Amino acid sequence: MVTPSGRLSSWWFGNGRLRPRTTLHRTVSPLASLPSPEQTLGLIRRQEALRDRGRPPFSVVVVDVGSPAESAHKALRLLMVFRRRARVGDEAGWLTADRIALILPLTGRDGAQRFAEEVCNQAAGHQGPPRFEVYTA
């Protein structure tokens, strides 16, 4: 239900009457939900442990999103494209203040290279696609 002020609301009983309840919706930035550098290193270590137990290789694509002043916009575009293209199990996280790691389990070097090129080209802004490096373990 939309209130006259345009905000979403639900209904509740107060003083014996049905009244609208205004709900405040907090918007969380997708960048805030990315794992921290420490958490990202933990995700990579987990993939290394799985590989050591006989699982096929995994790849990490490190994307340079630039200085912190410009990284928010680039990182947001990159993350939106990554989430559209990601498979179950693919993860992203901050590696440093200006680099994002895309962790691609069960992905060899060639597949990770193709994936990174496509994601970075789709996320390209007016300055061109972000630079990236592919590491396979």
Side-chain angles (χ1 to χ4, degrees):
M1 158 107 355
V2 178
T3 63
S5 65
R7 292 191 287 180
L8 295 175
S9 70
S10 59
W11 294 88
W12 63 286
F13 283 101
N15 296 335
R17 296 185 348 192
L18 189 62
R19 297 179 179 195
R21 175 183 298 171
T22 303
T23 342
L24 298 177
H25 296 280
R26 190 174 69 157
T27 305
V28 178
S29 167
L31 297 179
S33 66
L34 281 179
S36 68
E38 295 80 20
Q39 293 168 324
T40 302
L41 289 175
L43 294 171
I44 293 171
R45 284 189 199 107
R46 184 179 67 190
Q47 291 299 322
E48 288 175 336
L50 290 171
R51 184 214 50 219
D52 291 343
R53 284 188 239 142
R55 195 167 180 188
F58 71 98
S59 295
V60 177
V61 177
V62 178
V63 183
D64 184 3
V65 292
S67 69
E70 62 186 29
S71 68
H73 193 318
K74 281 185 179 180
L76 187 57
R77 280 197 320 257
L78 178 75
L79 187 59
M80 288 171 36
V81 173
F82 173 74
R83 287 191 173 163
R84 278 196 311 261
R85 301 279 323 259
R87 304 167 297 177
V88 173
D90 291 351
E91 301 185 70
W94 289 107
L95 200 55
T96 63
D98 60 348
R99 292 178 178 217
I100 292 179
L102 308 176
I103 303 166
L104 309 171
L106 308 173
T107 305
R109 183 166 192 71
D110 293 338
Q113 181 76 29
R114 271 193 311 274
F115 180 82
E117 287 172 359
E118 292 171 7
V119 167
C120 288
N121 285 335
Q122 290 177 15
H126 65 281
Q127 296 175 344
R131 292 176 301 168
F132 66 89
E133 298 172 17
V134 177
Y135 300 93
T136 301

